[in-house]
């Protein structure tokens, strides 16, 4: 089993749609969770952290389910500019000293006009 | 503010040639530094990380090595490149709350 798993997609949605991505992780001791966005041939950039209570940033909502060991990202009112690959990231060892952030392979979103 | 520089942006090298990719960070001291590789259509694979000068941890056995000769400098090297070394190489430093900030990446093609 992969340490961090994501459905690679692609997810093809029309503008204005709501889309959700899930990510599962294998290490129950993981403490930190993030979503990154990566445009084609570019470096990943932090989209948002994921907190236990869930958190929202504009059209984006992230949630964490520790019991089931999954993270989700919800995008409302999709824009063409949301087209990208979304990477789920987990600190596998729960220790900031080791800093081993593990990336999922990413879920590709394509928003169509 | 902190910035991270990585070069070159694109590199085409023949099989068996050496490699040296450099990454530098500005605006912070004693950062944790990382090298990742992303093969075509695949996720980011952690190659090396460093918590200080001369301290290198390798995550996977491979044809590459890393060095950290100065606090804010991280170098990825190879003595002889293989075809399988092709990929998108990313340097990163870790900021607060364990967030990673990436350089712009080097697209390496080994032919």
């Amino acid at each position: 089993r992969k340490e961090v798993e994501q459905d690679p997609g692609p997810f093809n949605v029309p503008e204005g749609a709501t889309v959700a991505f899930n990510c599962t992780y294998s290490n129950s001791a993981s403490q930190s969770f993030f979503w990154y966005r990566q445009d084609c041939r570019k470096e990943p950039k932090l989209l948002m952290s994921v907190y236990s209570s869930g958190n929202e940033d504009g059209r984006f909502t992230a949630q964490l389910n520790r019991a089931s060991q999954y993270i989700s990202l919800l995008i409302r009112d999709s824009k063409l500019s949301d087209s990208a690959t979304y990477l789920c990231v987990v600190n596998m060892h729960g220790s900031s000293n080791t800093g081993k952030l593990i990336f999922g392979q990413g879920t590709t979103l394509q928003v169509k006009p | 503010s902190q910035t991270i520089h990585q070069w070159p942006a694109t590199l085409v090298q023949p099989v068996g040639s050496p490699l040296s990719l450099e990454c530098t960070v500005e605006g912070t001291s004693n950062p944790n530094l990382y090298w990742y590789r992303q093969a075509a259509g695949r996720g980011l694979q952690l190659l090396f990380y460093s918590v200080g000068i001369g301290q290198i941890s390798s995550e996977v056995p491979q044809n590459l090595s890393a060095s950290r000769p100065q606090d804010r400098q991280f170098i990825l090297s190879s003595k002889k490149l293989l075809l399988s070394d092709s990929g998108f190489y990313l340097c990163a430093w870790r900021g607060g709350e364990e967030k990673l900030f990436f350089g712009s990446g080097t697209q390496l093609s080994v032919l």
Side-chain angles (χ1 to χ4, degrees):
Chain A
R1 182 185 175 186
K2 291 182 182 177
E3 295 172 304
V4 180
E5 286 198 76
Q6 294 181 251
D7 179 349
F11 284 58
N12 294 301
V13 302
E15 271 188 292
T18 296
V19 62
F21 308 136
N22 286 333
C23 166
T24 58
Y25 59 95
S26 61
N27 188 335
S28 60
S30 299
Q31 297 291 324
S32 305
F33 309 90
F34 309 90
W35 283 102
Y36 279 71
R37 171 193 168 128
Q38 185 176 24
D39 293 294
C40 188
R41 299 180 186 275
K42 300 289 186 180
E43 75 273 23
K45 293 183 179 178
L46 179 66
L47 179 63
M48 59 196 304
S49 302
V50 186
Y51 301 117
S52 297
S53 56
N55 49 297
E56 186 175 305
D57 182 2
R59 297 181 292 107
F60 298 83
T61 301
Q63 292 192 313
L64 168 64
N65 184 320
R66 286 189 184 274
S68 301
Q69 293 179 210
Y70 80 79
I71 308 151
S72 65
L73 177 67
L74 181 77
I75 305 176
R76 292 182 299 278
D77 189 23
S78 299
K79 311 291 185 189
L80 294 176
S81 58
D82 293 333
S83 299
T85 297
Y86 292 84
L87 306 172
C88 172
V89 184
V90 176
N91 181 318
M92 295 303 293
H93 296 267
S95 168
S96 60
N97 289 331
T98 61
K100 294 183 182 179
L101 294 174
I102 305 299
F103 285 71
Q105 69 174 103
T107 298
T108 299
L109 171 66
Q110 187 66 45
V111 182
K112 305 288 188 181
Chain B
S1 63
Q2 300 87 359
T3 56
I4 180 167
H5 302 280
Q6 186 182 344
W7 66 92
T10 305
L11 193 59
V12 180
Q13 292 284 103
V15 169
S17 64
L19 172 74
S20 181
L21 301 180
E22 188 164 344
C23 170
T24 59
V25 181
E26 295 178 358
T28 184
S29 59
N30 196 31
N32 283 8
L33 297 173
Y34 305 80
W35 278 111
Y36 283 85
R37 176 172 62 200
Q38 188 174 36
R42 302 182 67 179
L44 272 71
Q45 180 186 34
L46 179 61
L47 301 176
F48 301 95
Y49 71 93
S50 171
V51 298
I53 295 174
Q55 300 179 64
I56 308 294
S57 295
S58 175
E59 287 299 298
V60 293
Q62 57 207 321
N63 185 41
L64 303 167
S65 62
S67 62
R68 187 165 175 179
Q70 299 181 45
D71 182 44
R72 287 170 283 181
Q73 184 185 29
F74 203 23
I75 298 172
L76 182 71
S77 304
S78 174
K79 292 182 179 178
K80 289 185 179 181
L81 284 169
L82 305 172
L83 288 174
S84 57
D85 292 324
S86 294
F88 190 43
Y89 288 82
L90 290 154
C91 179
W93 72 279
R94 195 176 73 196
E97 299 181 2
E98 302 179 77
K99 297 172 184 175
L100 281 182
F101 299 91
F102 288 88
S104 54
T106 296
Q107 183 65 52
L108 172 66
S109 299
V110 182
L111 305 177

